Amino acid sequence: MENNTKLKAYWKTNLRYLSILLTIWFVVSYGFGILLVDELNTIRLGGFKLGFWFAQQGAIFTFVVLIFVYVRLMNKLDKKYNVDERPSKNDLD
Amino acid sequence: MNLSVQTWTYLIVGATFALYIFIAIRSRAGSTKEFYVAGGGVPPLANGMATAADWMSAASFISMAGLISFMGYDGAVYLMGWTGGYVLLALLLAPYLRKFGKFTVPDFIGDRYYSDVARTVAVICALFVSFTYVAGQMRGVGVVFSRFLEVPINWGIIIGMGIVFFYAVLGGMKGITYTQVAQYCVLIFAFMVPAIYISIQLTGNPIPQLGFGGTVAEGVPLLDKLDGLHKELGFAAYTDGSKSTIDVFFITAALMIGTAGLPHVIVRFFTVPKVKDARISAGYALVFIAILYTTAPAIAAFARTNLITTIEDKKEYKAMPEWFKKWENTGLIAWTDKNNDGQIQYLPGKPFKGKPKFNTQKGKSGERLVTNEATANKNELYIDRDIMVLANPEIARLPNWVIALVAAGGLAAALSTAAGLLLVISTSVSHDLIKKQINPNISERGELLYARIAAAVAVVVAGLFGIYPPGFVAQVVAFAFGLAAASFFPAIVLGIFDKRMNKQGAIAGMVVGLLFTIAYIVYFKFLGGTAAGWWFGISPEGIGTLGMLINAGVALAVSRNTEAPPKNVQNMVEQIRFPRGAGDAQQH
């Protein structure tokens, strides 16, 4: 029973992480790179127009960062709720 | 050394092929587990690299920079579309599927939806997607071979078939994984060397990603110069693009979601030992992919600038450099002197209808004459988008060994992806159809034999697709994504995140999503549908996004009106949501 509530809390936190990270994912690519591209193109980043830069470079860099942030968050979360894959005899099942 | 391009190509391509075959023989598969998931013991970093090579196809290597070069801003659909899916993979799919711990995507669908019908639908989807995709790869192999070894495209495809046949059939996933690691190294080196050279030539900055935003010799930013050149010739500005916003949105989404639904990508995450490894190897894969994907748009802009300035400087056909005539000989460049002035007019629009068909005669300036019906506009030059990356080093006058290296890289990209796809096809047949449905008592050796036969048949069929292709390499591949997006992605994600999803819902969703997407593509690509009839202005390339939404909508509606899945399936969904207890990928 206790395990069950614990797992629910783990899953809820996971879903919260997912929604935050996927929101950033959406805003950077579809927002900055596509929907707002004309507005951002009035701003310059070196030799780039900013909207064009997000669409062809910036979004990709952001994707990489998002995955590594997710990996870090989840590895911590797994440990906190004791569901990580340490070789252990007290597996939850 | 002052060897010819031809000699260098034989040397470098020969050396890389010898390496692949050596690895394939060293790591050939002895059991079905090794054949399907490399024994489940691939370290995450190696898996990331193999995933990147598996993923980056002939389309990424050969066609993408070329397409972007002609599309300008619109090329972002490929750049974001083919990278953003890894975020979905890492966050929504890979860890859970690894925890589930079977061999294939149809395995998951079949077990999660407790239904052989669902499994069969998934197998059909997997075969459909993989065949569509592999056709593009074989075409890519043909293009590279025909140009660099100067054989006809169809012969190139046949040679490519022979090589893939050899190591996919022999090595299975184990052989493929380590060959792909080597192929990644070859292809990324081959992609970066000319990019760095050209970046230095044009902007003085050795890092292409920075050179892209750098300044050319005249003191203006490269992209501004390119916009200026485009304006002079009457093209839309390079940094603006010409697709509608909604179409760009839908195509990008279809490619991203499709990426996350491609069976040959998903299966790579079954090969690592732990759930933790599945997450991080998606991250590594994206790093390795991003190196190429952030360089490609830089190459596109460099190549476009070089191409326009070369033609505009000289103008006269007779004064064109050697590469121009070489590519004309392969039929990928054609010039038709509409106003008989001996000069090349390069302007927007198609110079003539369709792909060039040459007769045996030469024109006044020595050009190959085409028999195509000329169009009314003033443009005289046809350039196949596929050659931009391949011709780039020649256009920039780089040393011969660099040109040969690009050939080896293109082949590595095409072969690694083709092998990954053929493996999915053979696994679908031998494991999902024969072992799981037709003959469950089949012996390990029997199953392995069927896997190899299926791989062999698949190679031949793929070759035929390559010889009679339905479009540009990248476009053929784009359809595979639409189909993957509309079939697998919702079924898998709902299977993990919606415990109430049942077999009726999932099957209805997959069938409706897939049929809708196929119908739309076939109607607008092959049955004469025109852009005016596109729903909401969505092109066939982007329709997979709508197909995905329809799939999910139908699945949710049907599942809520039919009974809940059995208790043991609901428990299984609970189990895959946390990492502890993930064993090896296993059969039962």
Side-chain angles (χ1 to χ4, degrees), chain B residues 255-339:
Chain B
L255 295 179
M256 280 196 195
I257 300 162
T259 301
L262 282 178
H264 75 285
V265 175
I266 295 177
V267 73
R268 292 238 48 103
F269 298 98
F270 291 92
T271 66
V272 292
K274 289 176 175 177
V275 173
K276 215 172 129 182
D277 300 331
R279 289 183 196 136
I280 192 77
S281 69
Y284 288 138
L286 188 58
V287 169
F288 292 128
I289 292 165
I291 296 173
L292 189 146
Y293 271 64
T294 53
T295 307
I299 291 189
F302 299 153
R304 185 82 188 150
T305 311
N306 270 336
L307 178 79
I308 296 180
T309 45
T310 305
I311 292 168
E312 289 303 298
D313 276 358
K314 303 275 191 331
K315 282 270 183 203
E316 216 164 313
Y317 173 82
K318 283 184 181 151
M320 282 298 125
E322 198 193 347
W323 60 263
F324 191 94
K325 282 153 199 169
K326 268 196 211 159
W327 287 98
E328 189 185 7
N329 282 335
T330 61
L332 296 175
I333 284 182
W335 173 61
T336 170
D337 195 3
K338 288 181 180 168
N339 56 359

Side-chain angles (χ1 to χ4, degrees), chain B residues 176-452:
Chain B
I176 284 177
T177 301
Y178 293 102
T179 323
Q180 279 170 340
V181 171
Q183 282 164 335
Y184 177 78
C185 299
V186 171
L187 82 86
I188 202 67
F189 187 67
F191 201 80
M192 296 308 292
V193 167
I196 292 169
Y197 261 111
I198 297 171
S199 184
I200 294 173
Q201 278 182 358
L202 278 178
T203 67
N205 196 322
I207 301 166
Q209 286 81 350
L210 298 178
F212 190 19
T215 315
V216 291
E218 296 96 311
V220 288
L222 172 84
L223 287 166
D224 290 357
K225 179 183 171 178
L226 190 49
D227 279 346
L229 287 171
H230 266 220
K231 219 175 188 175
E232 270 171 45
L233 297 178
F235 291 96
Y238 188 81
T239 51
D240 277 348
S242 49
K243 282 187 196 298
S244 71
T245 301
I246 186 168
D247 201 23
V248 169
F249 189 100
F250 269 77
I251 297 177
T252 308
L255 295 179
M256 280 196 195
I257 300 162
T259 301
L262 282 178
H264 75 285
V265 175
I266 295 177
V267 73
R268 292 238 48 103
F269 298 98
F270 291 92
T271 66
V272 292
K274 289 176 175 177
V275 173
K276 215 172 129 182
D277 300 331
R279 289 183 196 136
I280 192 77
S281 69
Y284 288 138
L286 188 58
V287 169
F288 292 128
I289 292 165
I291 296 173
L292 189 146
Y293 271 64
T294 53
T295 307
I299 291 189
F302 299 153
R304 185 82 188 150
T305 311
N306 270 336
L307 178 79
I308 296 180
T309 45
T310 305
I311 292 168
E312 289 303 298
D313 276 358
K314 303 275 191 331
K315 282 270 183 203
E316 216 164 313
Y317 173 82
K318 283 184 181 151
M320 282 298 125
E322 198 193 347
W323 60 263
F324 191 94
K325 282 153 199 169
K326 268 196 211 159
W327 287 98
E328 189 185 7
N329 282 335
T330 61
L332 296 175
I333 284 182
W335 173 61
T336 170
D337 195 3
K338 288 181 180 168
N339 56 359
N340 282 313
D341 64 352
Q343 301 205 336
I344 296 171
Q345 267 82 35
Y346 182 48
L347 299 161
K350 289 182 176 169
F352 42 72
K353 289 188 178 151
K355 297 206 162 203
K357 291 186 189 70
F358 298 93
N359 59 23
T360 51
Q361 284 155 7
K362 298 267 173 154
K364 225 170 38 174
S365 307
E367 79 276 18
R368 297 179 72 191
L369 288 178
V370 292
T371 56
N372 305 54
E373 188 190 332
T375 48
N377 64 41
K378 292 205 167 112
N379 181 28
E380 300 178 343
L381 189 63
Y382 169 90
I383 304 170
D384 191 299
R385 287 145 178 74
D386 284 353
I387 69 171
M388 290 309 288
V389 165
L390 301 173
N392 207 16
E394 289 169 279
I395 297 175
R397 292 187 296 268
L398 299 183
N400 286 348
W401 66 269
V402 178
I403 300 169
L405 191 62
V406 172
L411 287 169
L415 294 175
S416 56
T417 308
L421 288 159
L422 291 168
L423 198 78
V424 168
I425 294 171
S426 81
T427 309
S428 296
V429 173
S430 65
H431 182 72
D432 298 321
L433 280 183
I434 295 177
K435 168 85 181 172
K436 289 287 177 159
Q437 300 202 20
I438 297 170
N439 180 6
N441 299 321
I442 192 168
S443 71
E444 169 97 5
R445 280 189 61 179
E447 191 182 342
L448 202 52
L449 179 68
Y450 276 112
R452 291 192 160 124

Side-chain angles (χ1 to χ4, degrees), chain A residues 14 33 49 57 83-85, chain B residues 73 96 239 253 275 279 294 580:
Chain A
N14 178 19
K49 294 177 187 166
Q57 302 271 290
V83 294
D84 58 330
E85 296 159 293
Chain B
Y73 161 78
Y96 309 108
T239 51
V275 173
R279 289 183 196 136
T294 53
R580 178 156 299 175

Side-chain angles (χ1 to χ4, degrees), chain B residues 20 46 108 124 142-143 149 193 214 285 291 303 327 391 430 478 482 496 510 551 560:
Chain B
Y20 307 151
F108 175 77
I124 294 170
V143 170
L149 304 178
V193 167
I291 296 173
W327 287 98
S430 65
I496 297 164
M510 279 196 287
N551 177 335
R560 293 313 186 265

Side-chain angles (χ1 to χ4, degrees), chain B residues 24-77:
Chain B
I25 293 174
R26 282 290 300 266
S27 52
R28 67 186 175 278
S31 66
T32 48
K33 190 173 169 188
E34 285 184 346
F35 196 91
Y36 296 146
V37 294
V42 180
L45 193 68
N47 189 49
M49 221 178 258
T51 309
D54 202 330
W55 169 243
M56 290 192 290
S57 54
S60 299
F61 190 94
I62 302 169
S63 304
M64 191 177 67
L67 276 169
I68 299 169
S69 192
F70 286 85
M71 294 166 79
Y73 161 78
D74 291 345
V77 300

